[in-house]
Amino acid sequence: MIVTDRLIRILHVPGHGLLASDIYGRIHLLDADDLTVRRSSPFVRQGRPVYGLAVADGWVIGKDRMGAILRWRLDTLELAGRLDPATVCDPSGLLPGEEPSPVSSRGIGIWNGRVHVSSGYHRQMLVVDLHTFEVAEVRPNICGTSPMEWACTEHPDRHAVSDKKGNLRFGSFATGEFPRAVKLDDGNIHRVRYDARHDRFWATQDFGAGATADVANGVVIVSPDGEKLDELLFARDDVEFVTFTKDHSRAYSGGFDGELHIFDNSGPELRIDRTITGFSHQLTDCTVAEDGTVYVLCQDGEVTALDPDGVPKRSMGFARQAIWDVQSADGERVFLATDTGVAVARVVEDTVGPLLAVEAEHETGFGFTRRIAVLSGGVAGITRDHRVFRLDATGRMRWSSGLPALPHTVVVSPDGERVLVATNAGAIEVSATDGQEIRRYAVDGLPIWAGVYLPSGEVTLITRNGILVVLAVDGTETWRFEQGEYPKRAWVQDGRLYVVGDGGLKEIVIGQGVVCRWSRLLSNTVENAVVCDGMVYAGSYGMQVAAYEHESSRFAGLMEDLPDYPKALAVVRDSAGTPFLLVGCRGGLLSTYRVGAPKVFAKVRDQWLARRPARTLLTETVRPKEAVCV
């Protein structure tokens, strides 16, 4: 049997197999050879994604996104205990009316029979007896106001903890003191591992730091004394993990670029020996068995086993689906970007409101469709495997073209003649007729993460590190604005430029700057938003959707217990013109909400698109001695 719900963390446990946690708060033991399920834990009534996962002395310890701490028996996966995130705390240290805050925190430190983990209240840390599950102490968080993101106890007496603000601290769980701190990143340090071969620590980066912040990132090497020794920048997006073979002769690292980098760690020099590409999605976790088998988890839930050299052995065959984008063609028909291609649906109405009747899902044969843009009679789209394409409404492929790097957004020019794609290698403009390249745009050699046409035909580009430029039709730069935060999407509405990403949703007046921002209570990157009837609805990577008044920017409401990441937001209307919010998520879930008075969000219905296994075609690149990304 194959797991049915998306996995979010994996850990190889010698003598047992591959342990995994899922999006609904369960854990599973997979066969290390064929990746089928050997046993699973019971359903948890308050089941939420378990991001923190650790094993010690026959127990499995987990932490979910709301801060609940769970304990299972390793031999049976029976749930043995759960600490509630709302009540297990020191009340004297809380703000008036404070509630647990959701966060995808992975940090669990286990030492001398004690579990150290930051709680649902991020300023506090729980110290729990591993064997009795008694709460021994509630103390101030080692990491201050940030949740502990990782805890490394692999060094004999020097422990390391990281947080979500780029800090790495050294000390000991025995004393609870971590006096030595070093700043390595402007964001998360997802993983810290001790390299016993060279007596040093490896730490990952999300954003990078200093001059390369939001430009390039990778892994950083730090001595046990907390001195930064070296770094290798190989990524344009979050690095999620680093792990080693049993003898530490090889290291494996990767992340949201979707590439697995294999390091030759026989000597102290940082050197990537080869890079494996072609995974179905971003990489979120990796673990290595004692025999050297490497297990890689993709964000879509697929698990792939490889030999130590990166040669694929098998994949789990997880049936995945996601709704990445929803674009309306004419008010009655919408297109949906999915893991397998593009779905076409009609907006129909029953007695409770609008309903999307899916008429077809056209498989492209490419990687997942990340974004789409409506063209006359169909859509243009971009895929994870570096392609831009055009489909007509019947699903016929009009054309497809390769791209030089990972694409992020796609838009169509006001006259419908050109298609603009933002990529890590600049922006590419192609003909909407045949996909032939027209021209390329560059902004200081930086990755471009969003692009849009202004009504005048001018091109606006936004780099990963937040530089926004407006280019005239002849390519001349007419305005530059360094707003300093990475984008995820951009569009023009009612004469204003809207940009979502780090820092929330921003309304920008060309030639002036940011005139309004909506971000309150959103705990992570804003992935998408819509502006409708005087309201703003924004979805975040924290599994949240918030509502705000547009004119005043006043906060109006929040949903933060969604079953998975919201990716696509759109508005449809019933025959009376009443707006309904569509929220497309991972898992293929499409939810419809009535919005506005008397309730900000009123769930009407859920629909799920069919799920299918991913297509994975891994390829290997042998890297040169210097492999830097600047």
Side-chain angles (χ1 to χ4, degrees), residues 439-562:
R439 68 185 305 169
R440 297 193 180 195
Y441 299 95
V443 180
D444 303 341
L446 297 167
I448 296 176
W449 277 21
V452 66
Y453 289 102
L454 300 181
S456 62
E458 293 176 298
V459 169
T460 298
L461 306 174
I462 312 172
T463 66
R464 182 192 175 193
N465 63 344
I467 298 174
L468 184 154
V469 299
V470 178
L471 305 176
V473 177
D474 62 3
T476 304
E477 185 177 310
T478 61
W479 188 55
R480 175 176 287 238
F481 174 52
E482 298 190 13
Q483 50 94 23
E485 294 169 319
Y486 63 83
K488 282 302 184 82
R489 303 175 192 241
W491 71 95
V492 176
Q493 183 175 338
D494 298 327
R496 300 291 176 95
L497 174 65
Y498 290 91
V499 179
V500 294
D502 187 25
L505 169 66
K506 285 161 280 193
E507 183 178 319
I508 296 174
V509 174
I510 299 298
Q512 180 178 340
V514 177
V515 296
C516 197
R517 180 193 300 261
W518 300 269
S519 61
R520 186 184 173 195
L521 293 186
L522 293 176
S523 66
N524 211 311
T525 304
V526 174
E527 296 275 317
N528 205 346
V530 292
V531 180
C532 167
D533 292 1
M535 296 293 294
V536 170
Y537 303 98
S540 90
Y541 195 65
M543 298 186 186
Q544 303 164 297
V545 176
Y548 309 88
E549 293 178 357
H550 179 265
E551 185 173 351
S552 67
S553 73
R554 187 182 69 85
F555 172 78
L558 177 69
M559 298 186 292
E560 62 176 356
D561 209 9
L562 299 179

Side-chain angles (χ1 to χ4, degrees), residues 57-68:
D57 295 341
W59 298 103
V60 180
I61 302 296
K63 178 185 178 183
D64 74 16
R65 69 181 294 266
M66 291 304 294

Side-chain angles (χ1 to χ4, degrees), residues 187-384:
N188 291 291
I189 299 177
H190 288 305
R191 203 67 54 97
V192 184
R193 300 298 302 271
Y194 176 62
D195 177 359
R197 177 178 284 260
H198 302 296
D199 189 28
R200 60 189 185 179
F201 290 86
W202 293 48
T204 63
Q205 293 179 307
D206 252 15
F207 301 159
T212 60
D214 280 330
V215 176
N217 49 292
V219 294
V220 182
I221 304 301
V222 183
S223 74
D225 294 328
E227 178 186 356
K228 180 179 175 180
L229 302 175
D230 202 357
E231 67 179 11
L232 187 63
L233 308 181
F234 53 80
R236 297 292 197 187
D237 210 334
D238 300 3
V239 178
E240 294 287 302
F241 59 80
V242 62
T243 189
F244 298 97
T245 53
K246 185 178 181 180
D247 64 0
H248 289 82
S249 63
R250 280 180 168 155
Y252 302 86
S253 187
F256 284 2
D257 281 345
E259 299 178 337
L260 177 67
H261 303 282
I262 303 176
F263 287 76
D264 179 354
N265 198 41
S266 58
E269 179 187 10
L270 286 177
R271 185 170 72 86
I272 295 175
D273 182 52
R274 64 194 65 192
T275 296
I276 310 301
T277 62
F279 292 94
S280 61
H281 209 286
Q282 298 168 329
L283 311 187
T284 57
D285 208 356
C286 179
T287 185
V288 182
E290 290 189 319
D291 66 0
T293 300
V294 181
Y295 300 93
V296 175
L297 173 65
C298 292
Q299 199 175 57
D300 59 4
E302 180 64 293
V303 177
T304 300
L306 308 97
D307 73 11
D309 293 322
V311 177
K313 299 170 70 172
R314 72 195 63 84
S315 291
M316 184 171 64
F318 178 71
R320 53 61 178 284
Q321 186 58 284
I323 300 171
W324 293 95
D325 205 1
V326 176
Q327 296 292 332
S328 175
D330 51 20
E332 296 182 357
R333 184 177 56 178
V334 298
F335 295 96
L336 301 90
T338 71
D339 272 348
T340 50
V342 177
V344 183
R346 286 185 302 108
V347 181
V348 299
E349 188 174 345
D350 61 14
T351 57
V352 296
L355 167 69
L356 286 195
V358 178
E359 297 178 325
E361 186 176 1
H362 305 302
E363 295 190 43
T364 63
F366 306 139
F368 74 80
T369 305
R370 192 172 189 188
R371 304 282 189 270
I372 52 176
V374 174
L375 279 162
S376 176
V379 293
I382 52 174
T383 66
R384 178 74 192 181

Side-chain angles (χ1 to χ4, degrees), residues 592-608:
T592 305
Y593 298 86
R594 183 182 295 108
V595 291
K599 189 176 180 181
V600 177
F601 297 106
K603 173 73 75 69
V604 176
R605 71 177 90 242
D606 291 326
Q607 300 172 249
W608 283 266

Side-chain angles (χ1 to χ4, degrees), residues 3-6 318-321 340 587-588 608-613:
V3 293
T4 56
D5 297 310
R6 186 169 67 87
F318 178 71
R320 53 61 178 284
Q321 186 58 284
T340 50
W608 283 266
L609 295 187
R611 304 194 304 181
R612 300 179 180 87

